[in-house]
Amino acid sequence: MLTPTHGYTQYDELIQEDPEFGFRINHHLYKDEEVFQEEMDRIFYKGWVYIGHETEIPNPNDFVARVMGQRPVILCRGEDNEIRVLENKCRHRGNTVCQEQRGNSKFFRCAYHGWIYSNTGGLAEMTHPSAYGERLPAEGELDLLEAPRIGVHRGFIFASLAAEGQPFEEYLGRAADYIDRYCDLAPDGEIDLSAGRHGVSYEGNWKMQMENLTDAYHAEFTHATALAAFAANSSAGKGKFSDRGDLEDEISTMRDLGGGHVVLDGFELNRAQGENLQFTGSTGTLTEEIVGKIAEREGSREKAVWLTHGGGSHITVFPNLMILWDAVRTIQPVSLHKTVIYYHPAQLKGASQEINTARIMAHQAGFGPAGFLAPDDMEMFERTQAGTISDTDPWVYLNRGLSTQRLEKDDFGVEAITSQYLGETTQRGVWRHYKKIMSGE
């Protein structure tokens, strides 16, 4: 059990809300090693963490290598067709037993001393067992350790390394509605993440990415070059990234859904643009092919238009899943000051290959290795991390939209804490939940 040794782990001191100064957080949350280790323990090891998608392991014996917090794991579909999360660690000397990022195999083998494990976690072969003599471990005693809890919603797989804790449905909460909406934009009601993933690293704390996806304020400044480039290509029929209506319009909102889950809700704003809507963040969903197939599924063209013109979710699911536009994104903390962001292009099941290819290409244009958007964000994270070195004033104030936020029903008819799109209600929602978890509540 981690034992705090100094006052920085007093989260009431680091995350403060007061009528005088509003809402503020302290720089030490980004740069203190003990805080980071407590995050691994309380958030990534005891709580629920997104681990992967069913379409990444569709067949028996499929696997992908992942990391929960800093612990390497294997997400696999065993030969018995059951989904498991196994610790990627030989029970003999601790070596990783899976070196490939993805594949199909009935067994995992430790290259150090040759121990072999089945993809259901059982120890299949111990080399030279006679050397143990009377101390030979009992059957099952040295199987791969397994995450005791797994939850799946619309193909999204979450796991917890704690045997007991918050039930999965309670953890997911209101985020489920927005995951459903994202999937409902596919003709078959499912997305497909089998296209693979790529990662981008930055020298900064993992929470900077978690905050950033909830922030609509930065786009026109941080991504000014991308906006100009996409606007210039609009005449070629590619749509204008910046053609999103008036971002200061009151119907453009952000919402705190509770549980650390937040969303940039552009549904109403998108619909208000009618036939002029060129950019919903859901490439291909405005085509007649998609609208027609959804109309057939829903039994109503009106419902299909309502769904597609609202666009996709732009949601952060605490602590490491982000769903937006035409991709799913995951945060991987590596160390206190290093993070990897993984991008998974999202195809629509039931859509033509032409549409899904366009979605992948649109994602690559923004967030691929040579994309217009991802490098901007990584640069901002590293600059922010550099700025935390100065403790002249260690406080970050998150007061935008605080005086005007309200309880308002969202697209699903459920009340949520809401403010205008350019506020910071979403960041406050994330930090309030973070404080609750880190304080052991």
Side-chain angles (χ1 to χ4, degrees), residues 208-250:
M208 292 179 181
Q209 169 64 105
M210 182 174 64
E211 291 178 298
N212 182 71
L213 198 77
T214 76
D215 184 302
Y217 188 22
H218 75 285
E220 64 180 296
F221 309 105
T222 300
H223 302 306
T225 300
L227 298 181
F230 293 156
N233 283 330
S234 63
S235 60
K238 299 181 181 180
K240 290 193 285 185
F241 181 91
S242 56
D243 188 9
R244 297 178 291 167
D246 183 1
L247 295 183
E248 293 188 5
D249 195 308
E250 284 302 314

Side-chain angles (χ1 to χ4, degrees), residues 174-175 177-179 181-182 210 213-216 252-258 260-267 311-318 321 323-324 410-412 414 416-427 429-430:
R174 292 296 324 287
D177 290 335
Y178 289 84
I179 292 175
R181 174 62 56 81
Y182 192 78
M210 182 174 64
L213 198 77
T214 76
D215 184 302
S252 182
T253 56
M254 54 168 49
R255 306 189 196 273
D256 173 7
L257 305 176
H261 313 316
V262 295
V263 65
L264 299 179
D265 185 344
F267 297 146
S313 301
H314 194 110
I315 181 175
T316 297
V317 182
F318 188 90
L321 171 64
I323 303 173
L324 69 163
D410 64 7
D411 226 37
F412 306 94
V414 182
I417 300 175
T418 303
S419 71
Q420 206 279 330
Y421 200 63
L422 301 180
E424 290 167 337
T425 290
T426 45
Q427 287 96 322
V430 169

